[in-house]
Amino acid sequence: MARQHVDHADLASFAQDKVNLPQEKANEHRAQARRLREKLESYLEEHPDFSLKKMLVSGSLAKGTALRSLNDIDLACYIEGADAPTEVAKLLDYLAERLRTAFPNFSPDQITPQTYCVTVSFRASGLDVDVVPILYSGDPNWYGNLVSQEDGSLLETCIPRHLEFVGARKGKHDKDFAQVVRLVKYWARKTKRENEGFRLKSFMIELILARLSDQGSAFSDYPEALQNFFTYIAKTDLRERLVFSDYYSPSACGTFSERIQIIDPVNAKNNVSRLYTSSQADALVDAALDAGDAIDAALAAPTKQETVYYWQKVFGSSFQA
């Protein structure tokens, strides 16, 4: 009965109005990042021995999963050269210095090292681009050692393959895979505002939904897709190892001791949830149970007012139908 009050189309409309980054804004952000990349490429044509080798848009903007609240861009910068420091603070200073060399039209204060990245600020648009260094040794697939934005450690990664991995799942579900990712990210952001101890990073959301996709879950019905996500977390209690075979054999994974084991699809040695404590895992499971119960109640509610009330428990008061 409650499907008459709030259904897939209502969630799709909510996503369009409140959740998604508008297309024109996404295009503006991508154009800004492209200009930086083209400036570097132009510089490299004249200075082929320069240590900055490549820039790639990464993160949610590159994957098409950005939320409306996006206010900066992640750009990965590959650095090659024996003189590149491996200590993070020195590496960021090194990167900032070379970005100032490659982009002489920027004033020095527009290129500033942060804790784990270098921010390039565009004065005209007010937009910030966070340039994340990757130490690169010439791998043809563009593997390199990324400075983790969580703790500053060096992690082997491959930006092109990460994008390819998500792109393969998006390809199976038209626009729906990315849309469900955005809806879950919106829920996670709202839950974090309400519970300081709650955390769930976007990459983990993508990988859990990728697992569901690989197991045959459909994404074209958003209430059902969301319920599948929350049910997976509740049923497994986040004790099932998630590993993918796109780029390595699952048998290549080592032994991990953490409660949550979601293995990077491009690096068998990297548990992307390694910093999550058991209490944080419990908080995540509890939040998923609450969200799943709210969706069940919404789908069984006899009136529109009650149905909207339960969906607001998932998405907050901005949800209207």
Side-chain angles (χ1 to χ4, degrees):
M1 179 182 293
R3 286 269 180 168
Q4 298 172 1
H5 306 307
V6 174
D7 203 352
H8 168 81
D10 297 292
L11 293 192
S13 178
F14 167 69
Q16 187 65 33
D17 294 341
K18 302 291 184 183
V19 176
N20 299 350
L21 182 67
Q23 189 60 51
E24 63 274 15
K25 205 70 180 172
N27 292 341
E28 180 185 331
H29 289 345
R30 290 192 181 100
Q32 203 96 65
R34 185 175 63 249
R35 284 194 283 276
L36 271 187
R37 194 186 69 231
E38 289 173 350
K39 280 178 185 291
L40 178 62
E41 289 171 351
S42 175
Y43 188 85
L44 281 173
E45 287 180 5
E46 298 177 6
H47 306 82
D49 294 330
F50 193 58
S51 56
L52 307 190
K53 293 301 179 187
K54 191 182 188 71
M55 279 183 162
L56 289 173
V57 181
S58 59
S60 61
L61 187 65
K63 295 173 183 171
T65 58
L67 299 183
R68 181 174 289 263
S69 54
L70 180 78
N71 53 17
D72 54 25
I73 301 169
D74 291 330
L75 202 60
C77 184
Y78 285 78
I79 303 172
E80 185 177 45
D83 64 329
T86 54
E87 183 183 327
V88 172
K90 292 179 180 176
L91 177 62
L92 294 173
D93 287 338
Y94 177 94
L95 174 59
E97 179 186 321
R98 275 146 186 81
L99 289 173
R100 292 182 187 118
T101 301
F103 308 147
N105 292 336
F106 284 82
S107 65
D109 64 338
Q110 286 180 272
I111 300 176
T112 53
Q114 308 295 331
T115 306
Y116 299 130
C117 66
V118 173
T119 297
V120 178
S121 301
F122 288 82
R123 285 182 175 149
S125 64
L127 192 65
D128 287 343
V129 176
D130 289 337
V131 183
V132 181
I134 295 180
L135 290 172
Y136 176 63
S137 302
D139 184 274
N141 293 312
W142 293 95
Y143 272 86
N145 288 312
L146 167 82
V147 173
S148 167
Q149 298 302 288
E150 291 185 307
D151 61 0
S153 61
L154 289 176
L155 283 173
E156 184 183 60
T157 193
C158 180
I159 302 297
R161 284 188 167 176
H162 273 164
L163 299 181
E164 186 179 73
F165 176 88
V166 172
R169 276 69 187 180
K170 288 171 68 177
K172 290 181 182 176
H173 303 282
D174 192 17
K175 63 185 184 303
D176 295 321
F177 181 86
Q179 186 59 77
V180 175
V181 169
R182 289 190 291 266
L183 285 167
V184 176
K185 286 171 63 175
Y186 190 90
W187 164 79
R189 185 159 296 191
K190 172 251 182 193
T191 305
K192 187 174 182 179
R193 286 197 301 269
E194 296 171 346
N195 181 354
E196 195 173 316
F198 177 85
R199 60 187 304 214
L200 176 57
K201 63 182 178 181
S202 299
F203 195 23
M204 290 167 60
I205 293 171
E206 293 165 1
L207 295 180
I208 292 172
L209 289 171
R211 163 57 63 90
L212 294 176
S213 171
D214 292 356
Q215 290 178 336
S217 291
F219 288 77
S220 57
D221 182 283
Y222 295 162
E224 181 181 325
L226 290 167
Q227 189 61 290
N228 286 342
F229 176 84
F230 296 125
T231 298
Y232 174 84
I233 292 177
K235 285 182 68 174
T236 63
D237 199 33
L238 291 173
R239 296 179 189 276
E240 178 183 74
R241 175 185 286 191
L242 261 68
V243 59
F244 301 89
S245 59
D246 296 53
Y247 303 110
Y248 56 79
S249 169
S251 62
C253 287
T255 300
F256 299 94
S257 60
E258 296 88 0
R259 154 84 172 273
I260 310 178
Q261 297 181 21
I262 300 178
I263 313 305
D264 189 331
V266 306
N267 178 0
K269 298 177 181 176
N270 178 32
N271 175 11
V272 303
S273 48
R274 73 191 192 290
L275 298 179
Y276 282 61
T277 65
S278 185
S279 61
Q280 288 170 331
D282 287 340
L284 212 169
V285 171
D286 288 345
L289 280 167
D290 289 344
D293 287 348
I295 294 175
D296 281 342
L299 296 176
T303 67
K304 181 170 183 175
Q305 182 179 15
E306 286 185 58
T307 305
V308 171
Y309 166 77
Y310 286 116
W311 276 113
Q312 287 181 338
K313 290 175 76 68
V314 180
F315 293 123
S317 58
S318 61
F319 180 85
Q320 299 291 333

